[in-house]
Amino acid sequence: MPFPSDRLGHLCGLHHRPRASACGRGPHRPTTSARVKGGRRVGTPGRDAVAEPRRPPGGGGAGGEGLGRSRGGFTSKPHLSADGLCRPLSLVITTGQRADCTQFKLVLEEIRVPRPGLGRPRKKPASLAADKAYSNGPMREYLRRLGIRHTIPEKTDSRAARLRKGSRGGRPPAFDEDRYKQRNTVERAINRLKQSRAVATRYDKRGYVFLGTATAAALAIWLRA
């Protein structure tokens, strides 16, 4: 989806007070503990152990790591938005078979454009252009509620259903052909990301690691722009 240039909790545990032993010698305390060579206890990480970085929640299995079966094979799919200069603005990684329209709102909510001076970053684009995959009533209503001008072509079956209803079908959605010609900027942004071999051919096992790889490639695009 190209744009013009201009996700708390508490943890509680069960506590108990040590009771006095039958002999009246005070609370019972363990006298031995399992140890291994080097003086550390069993179950504690050794000196050479490498702590794995904290992962965001996403479930287990391949689906939780952004891998799934699609026409292209066992792949991942990046969903992104870009500005008029083909620079990525937001990026979401899902399984390869995930439809584009399911990530529409999430991609928009991930947009953060810092302002030149003080103030909060911009989160809402002035206008938006997208292909037919995003052409449905709930998405258009969502964009109208946010006040975002959009250019999305109408699907053939949607147009036929509207015409069958006659006057009850409502007016056709507005469509700016000249504005829609600039939609190829998001395709060019994807091609720029794929210039990074680690993005074009996923080598990362974890989904959050692959997202970091794609984000680093997007940062390189911004630095070159």
Side-chain angles (χ1 to χ4, degrees):
M1 295 172 289
F3 304 110
S5 54
D6 270 35
R7 234 170 257 250
L8 183 59
H10 299 274
L11 179 66
C12 62
L14 178 64
H15 298 274
H16 68 280
R17 183 176 301 173
R19 298 181 179 179
S21 63
C23 299
R25 293 179 295 182
H28 174 73
R29 294 184 177 86
T31 57
T32 60
S33 60
R35 294 179 180 272
V36 295
K37 184 178 180 180
R40 60 184 178 87
R41 299 190 180 189
V42 175
T44 59
R47 180 180 301 174
D48 299 330
V50 178
E52 187 177 0
R54 185 179 181 182
R55 304 192 299 271
E65 302 298 344
L67 288 168
R69 297 288 178 182
S70 65
R71 292 183 179 180
F74 198 54
T75 60
S76 298
K77 177 187 288 188
H79 305 260
L80 59 89
S81 61
D83 63 3
L85 299 179
C86 306
R87 299 175 299 188
L89 296 176
S90 59
L91 182 63
V92 177
I93 302 297
T94 66
T95 56
Q97 76 276 13
R98 188 69 64 188
D100 295 339
C101 60
T102 60
Q103 307 300 314
F104 175 73
K105 293 183 180 180
L106 182 57
V107 171
L108 286 181
E109 291 172 356
E110 291 292 325
I111 296 177
R112 298 289 188 277
V113 180
R115 299 182 185 273
L118 300 177
R120 298 179 179 179
R122 287 186 59 188
K123 300 180 181 180
K124 188 175 67 174
S127 62
L128 177 147
D131 58 14
K132 290 184 178 181
Y134 302 94
S135 178
N136 57 51
M139 289 188 182
R140 296 181 187 272
E141 179 61 28
Y142 175 75
L143 292 173
R144 284 193 292 264
R145 189 167 62 250
L146 293 180
I148 300 176
R149 295 185 295 107
H150 55 278
T151 300
I152 305 176
E154 188 179 17
K155 293 182 179 180
T156 304
D157 55 348
S158 299
R159 181 176 181 273
R162 178 176 53 78
L163 293 177
R164 284 197 303 267
K165 294 180 181 179
S167 60
R168 296 181 295 104
R171 295 178 299 177
F175 183 76
D176 188 349
E177 294 185 0
D178 294 334
R179 178 70 184 89
Y180 188 70
K181 292 179 181 179
Q182 303 178 15
R183 196 198 64 82
N184 60 26
T185 56
V186 70
E187 306 293 345
R188 290 153 58 191
I190 293 176
N191 288 335
R192 289 186 177 185
L193 282 177
K194 288 184 177 181
Q195 291 180 8
S196 173
R197 187 178 181 183
V199 177
T201 306
R202 176 174 170 173
Y203 298 106
D204 301 311
K205 178 180 179 179
R206 301 295 186 181
Y208 73 99
V209 178
F210 179 61
L211 176 60
T213 300
T215 302
L219 290 174
I221 295 175
W222 274 87
L223 292 175
R224 290 195 296 265

